[in-house]
Amino acid sequence: MITSAQIRAGRGLLKWTQGTLAARASLSVVTLNMIESDQVAPRIRTLDAIRCALEGEGVRFIGDADEGFGVMLRAQPPRAA
């Protein structure tokens, strides 16, 4: 499971707005806002869509309940010329 803080941090690493992530994960901005502000308990498939959108751009979710949670951005391979 990813946390609301990890979602916000992942967006920050990519410099994405809520609108960008919502569009990429096929959800509404209102829904994403409610998830990020812990106003709702999201469905598993909604979290999966968010995770896939962020991971597809290089965000990696790290940590666990004992050590804490975080995110990191994988280095992108150089683009072919």
Side-chain angles (χ1 to χ4, degrees):
M1 284 283 260
I2 57 175
T3 67
S4 58
Q6 285 177 300
I7 295 168
R8 291 190 306 272
R11 272 196 317 104
L13 287 172
L14 297 173
K15 298 181 178 143
W16 280 6
T17 64
Q18 284 185 333
T20 301
L21 177 54
R24 301 261 182 127
S26 299
L27 28 129
S28 74
V29 175
V30 171
T31 299
L32 180 59
N33 181 277
M34 291 172 65
I35 291 168
E36 286 190 352
S37 60
D38 292 318
Q39 294 178 25
V40 295
R43 295 180 177 149
I44 297 295
R45 70 175 176 237
T46 302
L47 286 179
D48 286 343
I50 292 169
R51 175 189 282 273
C52 285
L54 292 170
E55 286 180 338
E57 294 298 319
V59 172
R60 189 166 156 220
F61 297 94
I62 58 175
D64 58 37
D66 293 331
E67 297 293 319
F69 296 98
V71 295
M72 60 185 286
L73 188 59
R74 285 181 291 169
Q76 297 296 320
R79 295 180 189 242

